[in-house]
């Protein structure tokens, strides 16, 4: 369990959703009701080795790796800027 998971409040909730955005466009949304990502850290969360941090807090490579995998599948991974309580990630993919 990572520090970020350990800091999630008791009774926290993670939801998964699917949205069809056109004939060949799909979105998978993962949302939680945790503390969220501070505004000052949002721009760099998908970049590897973006900031100095305590290695005991994890290597912070999970989101950059996920974003790279999404790109390799012809899609994208983004942070929903409209969510202010918790965090919401959107995986957008196209089908053949």
């Amino acid at each position: 369990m990572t520090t970020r998971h350990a800091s999630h409040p008791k009774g926290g909730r993670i939801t998964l959703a699917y949205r069809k955005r056109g004939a060949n466009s799909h979105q998978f949304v993962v949302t939680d009701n945790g503390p969220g990502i501070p505004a000052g850290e949002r721009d760099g969360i998908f970049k590897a080795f973006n900031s100095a941090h305590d290695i005991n807090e994890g290597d912070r490579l999970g989101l950059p790796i996920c974003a790279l995998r999404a790109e390799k599948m012809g899609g994208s991974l983004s942070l929903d800027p409209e969510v202010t309580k918790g965090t919401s990630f959107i995986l957008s993919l196209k089908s053949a």
Side-chain angles (χ1 to χ4, degrees):
M1 182 182 301
T2 67
T3 302
R4 184 142 335 251
H5 290 120
S7 67
H8 202 281
K10 186 173 183 174
R13 185 173 43 180
I14 297 173
T15 58
L16 306 173
Y18 168 78
R19 301 177 191 154
K20 188 158 179 76
R21 293 295 189 202
N24 298 321
S25 184
H26 312 274
Q27 288 184 336
F28 301 88
V29 184
V30 179
T31 305
D32 71 31
N33 65 342
I37 299 172
E41 295 180 22
R42 290 178 174 222
D43 288 340
I45 62 172
F46 296 112
K47 297 176 187 155
F49 308 110
N50 186 44
S51 65
H53 63 279
D54 183 349
I55 194 67
N56 292 323
E57 294 180 11
D59 57 19
R60 297 187 183 184
L61 292 176
L63 288 173
I65 290 170
C66 290
L68 181 61
R69 297 296 298 165
E71 288 177 24
K72 289 198 177 275
M73 293 188 296
S76 65
L77 180 65
S78 61
L79 177 67
D80 188 341
E82 295 179 15
V83 173
T84 57
K85 175 125 175 84
T87 305
S88 186
F89 291 98
I90 303 169
L91 172 62
S92 298
L93 297 171
K94 302 257 185 223
S95 60

